[in-house]
């Protein structure tokens, strides 16, 4: 929490590229090759040990079933078969059915045996006839295993309708930490009660639909009043996604401050850490000031 926060500025687009599209279908007329569809994958390791599929693709369909197998390249793998993962049903065989072009290598991770700090890799080689191997792509792929923690708003924010957070705000070249009160609205939404001003609670929407990419959406809304500019608005920006970390109970917001129909002041980074009621009490004893003051853009930007 002590690191200096960077103030990020919205950058204008420098160019737009126009790409022409052809309406005609492209037909492949080359040889018969079979390969992994990509050279690297990231497998989310979920609490329910959900199966992960690695596609094996053929350039042409055949009128018969094609059977292949994969092997683990031990010297390039750190994950242990039978402990960190295994093939579904214990088989490393793949079938590309007649008339189809894709078969699946099915891997099942073991959530309980994967630690957060583990850096686990499964390196696979496709066993196929030499004349079906395309030299340009080869016959190997890499699967990185990433443990993904389930999201629960009640656990993330600590039990209770209200919770507390430690927020880091950049003021010029300095970082100020304040206590922010938060209200849980539903299982994916909270309101920051006094992050920027007591007048405007800030609504955040947590999106856990992609276990490899937990993000926060901040709708356009009023943020605070500035003595020079009046009411300032904020919103999240696609270029700098806001995100949250489940096991460490923190989230990082990248927010654009702007005035509608006038312009943007820039994009700013803020770090929030969920804290307990006891930690919040310690701050109220004078260690860290509480929030609620009206901000001035002159103190948060370089303009």
């Amino acid at each position: 929490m002590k690191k200096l926060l960077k103030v990020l500025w919205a950058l204008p687009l420098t160019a737009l590229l126009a790409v022409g599209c052809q309406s005609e279908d492209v037909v492949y007329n080359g040889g018969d090759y079979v390969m992994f569809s990509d050279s690297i994958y990231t497998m989310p390791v979920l609490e329910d040990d959900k199966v992960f599929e690695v596609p094996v693709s053929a350039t042409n369909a055949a009128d018969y079933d094609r059977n292949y197998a994969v092997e683990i390249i031990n010297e390039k793998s750190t994950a242990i078969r039978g402990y960190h993962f295994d093939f579904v049903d214990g088989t490393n065989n793949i079938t590309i059915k007649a008339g189809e072009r894709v078969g699946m290598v099915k891997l099942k991770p073991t959530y309980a045996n994967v630690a957060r700090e583990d850096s686990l890799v499964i390196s696979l080689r496709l066993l196929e006839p030499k004349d079906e191997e395309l030299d340009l792509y080869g016959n190997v792929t890499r699967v990185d295993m990433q443990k993904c923690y389930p999201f629960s708003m009640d656990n993330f924010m600590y039990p209770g309708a209200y919770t507390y957070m430690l927020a880091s705000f950049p003021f010029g070249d300095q970082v100020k930490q304040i206590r922010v009160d938060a209200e849980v609205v539903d299982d994916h939404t909270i309101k920051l009660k006094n992050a920027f001003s007591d007048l405007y609670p800030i609504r955040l929407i947590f999106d856990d639909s992609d276990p490899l990419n937990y993000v926060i959406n901040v709708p356009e809304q009023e943020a605070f009043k500035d003595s020079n500019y009046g009411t300032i608005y904020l919103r999240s920006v696609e270029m700098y996604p806001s995100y949250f970390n489940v096991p460490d109970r923190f989230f990082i917001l990248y927010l654009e401050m702007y005035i509608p129909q006038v312009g943007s002041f820039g994009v700013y980074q803020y770090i929030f850490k969920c804290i307990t009621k006891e930690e919040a009490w310690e701050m109220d004893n004078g260690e860290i000031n509480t929030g609620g003051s009206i901000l001035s853009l002159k103190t948060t930007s370089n303009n």
Side-chain angles (χ1 to χ4, degrees):
M1 301 299 297
K2 294 182 180 179
K3 72 176 183 178
L4 184 64
L5 301 181
K6 296 180 178 179
V7 179
L8 302 178
W9 298 99
L11 299 177
L13 293 177
T14 57
L16 293 177
L17 298 179
V19 179
C21 297
Q22 295 181 349
S23 60
E24 297 85 358
D25 293 333
V26 177
V27 179
Y28 175 79
N29 291 317
D32 294 325
Y33 299 107
V34 179
M35 68 207 80
F36 288 110
S37 298
D38 207 341
S39 59
I40 188 168
Y41 295 89
T42 300
M43 173 171 64
V45 180
L46 304 173
E47 195 174 33
D48 60 1
D49 295 337
K50 184 178 180 180
V51 171
F52 183 75
E53 295 182 336
V54 179
V56 173
S57 302
T59 54
N60 293 306
D63 57 2
Y64 57 90
D65 290 351
R66 287 172 284 183
N67 298 306
Y68 303 93
V70 295
E71 65 175 358
I72 300 169
I73 307 174
N74 291 321
E75 62 271 20
K76 294 184 178 180
S77 300
T78 55
I80 301 173
R81 178 182 179 182
Y83 182 75
H84 296 119
F85 79 99
D86 206 341
F87 296 103
V88 172
D89 299 327
T91 178
N92 59 339
N93 295 323
I94 314 153
T95 298
I96 301 178
K97 295 183 178 180
E100 298 182 0
R101 293 185 174 88
V102 180
M104 296 295 181
V105 180
K106 296 183 179 182
L107 303 173
K108 186 173 183 179
T110 305
Y111 183 87
N113 294 340
V114 175
R116 181 184 175 188
E117 64 274 11
D118 286 341
S119 179
L120 300 175
V121 174
I122 307 168
S123 186
L124 300 174
R125 178 184 290 115
L126 179 64
L127 303 178
E128 59 180 331
K130 188 64 178 176
D131 60 356
E132 293 185 13
E133 180 183 336
L134 185 59
D135 293 337
L136 179 62
Y137 290 97
N139 61 350
V140 299
T141 194
R142 164 178 166 163
V143 179
D144 294 333
M145 300 180 67
Q146 180 175 320
K147 187 162 189 174
C148 299
Y149 291 83
F151 172 70
S152 165
M153 183 64 78
D154 288 338
N155 290 332
F156 183 79
M157 300 294 292
Y158 291 106
Y162 290 87
T163 189
Y164 307 95
M165 280 180 278
L166 174 64
S168 294
F169 287 75
F171 286 81
D173 293 330
Q174 303 298 319
V175 173
K176 180 179 180 181
Q177 294 182 337
I178 68 172
R179 197 200 81 189
V180 173
D181 298 336
E183 177 186 357
V184 176
V185 178
D186 56 41
D187 57 356
H188 284 86
T189 309
I190 66 171
K191 286 184 178 180
L192 303 180
K193 307 291 286 186
N194 56 334
F196 299 97
S197 169
D198 291 331
L199 298 175
Y200 304 113
I202 305 302
R203 185 163 62 100
L204 313 179
I205 303 171
F206 288 66
D207 183 356
D208 62 338
S209 58
D210 181 356
L212 295 173
N213 188 32
Y214 285 166
V215 297
I216 296 176
N217 298 311
V218 185
E220 296 185 7
Q221 57 196 291
E222 295 172 315
F224 58 91
K225 288 187 179 297
D226 180 82
S227 57
N228 297 305
Y229 300 103
T231 302
I232 308 301
Y233 287 70
L234 60 75
R235 60 190 170 195
S236 55
V237 287
E238 186 176 354
M239 184 180 298
Y240 304 107
S242 300
Y243 63 92
F244 61 99
N245 179 289
V246 171
D248 290 329
R249 285 186 164 116
F250 76 83
F251 56 93
I252 295 181
L253 300 181
Y254 293 96
L255 300 177
E256 180 187 14
M257 301 293 180
Y258 69 101
I259 299 176
Q261 286 85 47
V262 176
S264 173
F265 293 96
V267 178
Y268 301 82
Q269 180 194 63
Y270 304 100
I271 299 176
F272 291 81
K273 170 72 175 175
C274 300
I275 58 176
T276 63
K277 188 175 182 179
E278 290 72 24
E279 290 172 321
W281 281 345
E282 291 179 2
M283 295 176 189
D284 287 343
N285 289 332
E287 294 185 12
I288 298 179
N289 296 327
T290 59
S293 60
I294 296 178
L295 304 184
S296 171
L297 282 175
K298 286 186 176 180
T299 63
T300 58
S301 75
N302 290 330
N303 288 347

